[in-house]
Amino acid sequence: MGGICCRFILVGGLVFGSACSAEKRGGENDWPEERAAMVALLREYGIRDERVLEAMGRVKRHRFIPEPYRSRRTAYDDRPCPIGFGQTISQPFIVAYMTEAMQIRPGEKVLEIGTGSGYQAAVLAELGARVFSIEIIPELAEHARRVLAAEGYDVQVLTGDGYKGWPEHAPFDVILVTCAPTDIPEALVMQLDEGGRMIVPVGERLQRLVILRKEGGKIRRKEDLPVRFVPMVKGGEKNEMP
Ligand code: SAH
């Protein structure tokens, strides 16, 4: 496992330059073989939950990557990929790892913070979750809404500040945060249901995934992998639906 750990440290949601836009391919290609190879790699890296592996085999990751950044390699190599506005989709391993850790059952209500491209939200929807997702950059929220709808995923996307959560739809069974706050936002913990789970990368340059569980009204906290995500920025503007 030692060698693999080094990979994790560098790759959570690392901001890349535009280097991986070079290999763009023309024409419509669904890249099923590349997706199958990605899933085989995830299995090799220790992802065991067949439902997660199947979901990631089904979601067309390349469709969520804005065109200037899209290629066979940026979509299906195990790396983070830029999506514009200085943001990235996490590498597939981190998406799989966080999703697996949350043990999502069909019908559960899941809140994602940091919609970005919409890819993680699509994986959650493939698992049968009812997905709510908040994105602070309006253009990304709009991009995600468009791709999610085109790919047939029923996900509610709110343009706004994830620090506030989404009280109208609370409580949630799972809260999955894909940008890094320096401290766990209290409003999100409040919006977890009894038996609920939350996964969040916490810290500035050195971050760790933290997993919370709410049991008997108490919060159990576990420190997990070292990771690197883009920061969760402070917003303050009003949360709004389109
Ligand atoms: N889950 C995404 C990738 C997330 S990148 C995917 O699958 O593509 C992190 C995202 O968090 C960025 O889009 C960033 O704009 C967003 N973000 C940062 N701070 C936020 C905040 N306070 N509230 C909501 N979203 C935020």
Side-chain angles (χ1 to χ4, degrees):
M1 280 304 269
I4 295 177
C5 270
C6 293
R7 291 179 68 89
F8 302 164
I9 294 168
L10 288 171
V11 286
L14 199 63
V15 180
F16 261 32
S18 57
C20 53
S21 66
E23 248 186 79
K24 208 178 140 201
R25 268 207 198 168
E28 190 53 20
N29 181 339
D30 268 341
W31 290 316
E33 285 154 24
E34 285 78 0
R35 214 158 29 254
M38 177 191 82
V39 169
L41 195 64
L42 294 175
R43 209 183 279 281
E44 206 176 296
Y45 285 171
I47 303 299
R48 290 281 168 267
D49 188 332
E50 289 300 327
R51 290 173 55 246
V52 173
L53 292 166
E54 274 169 32
M56 290 189 62
R58 279 195 297 268
V59 181
K60 294 175 178 139
R61 191 169 185 264
H62 63 279
R63 300 257 176 99
F64 291 85
I65 297 174
E67 207 143 354
Y69 305 100
R70 187 185 304 160
S71 78
R72 177 177 53 82
R73 295 199 51 196
T74 58
Y76 294 109
D77 280 3
D78 189 38
R79 297 207 216 162
C81 177
I83 52 174
F85 305 93
Q87 307 301 321
T88 54
I89 320 188
S90 300
Q91 66 178 116
F93 175 78
I94 291 289
V95 173
Y97 185 87
M98 291 174 75
T99 308
E100 181 175 67
M102 291 296 93
Q103 300 170 330
I104 292 159
R105 292 180 291 272
E108 282 193 317
K109 215 196 275 182
V110 178
L111 176 66
E112 178 195 24
I113 307 296
T115 319
S117 68
Y119 176 70
Q120 169 79 71
V123 172
L124 297 167
E126 275 286 353
L127 287 167
R130 285 181 288 153
V131 187
F132 300 84
S133 186
I134 306 179
E135 171 56 52
I136 204 161
I137 299 178
E139 292 87 344
L140 282 176
E142 197 41 54
H143 161 86
R145 272 185 206 110
R146 198 160 19 82
V147 182
L148 284 162
E151 294 299 300
Y153 296 110
D154 183 14
V155 171
Q156 306 296 309
V157 178
L158 179 72
T159 305
D161 181 5
Y163 279 99
K164 297 175 187 151
W166 200 335
E168 295 82 353
H169 291 288
F172 298 96
D173 299 298
V174 169
I175 300 181
L176 192 149
V177 186
T178 67
C179 43
T182 49
D183 295 295
I184 296 176
E186 198 46 43
L188 297 183
V189 179
M190 300 291 291
Q191 289 176 30
L192 260 191
D193 205 350
E194 173 62 26
R197 296 84 73 197
M198 176 162 153
I199 189 161
V200 48
V202 181
E204 286 183 70
R205 288 197 66 79
L206 292 175
Q207 302 164 1
R208 242 174 212 287
L209 283 178
V210 174
I211 297 176
L212 301 182
R213 275 173 195 277
K214 198 180 257 188
E215 275 162 14
K218 292 212 178 75
I219 303 291
R220 278 199 300 138
R221 175 182 170 131
K222 181 177 140 228
E223 306 278 323
D224 208 85
L225 291 186
V227 284
R228 181 120 183 249
F229 278 78
V230 296
M232 181 164 173
V233 299
K234 302 262 182 201
E237 52 186 288
K238 200 169 158 281
N239 283 359
E240 57 190 31
M241 288 291 276

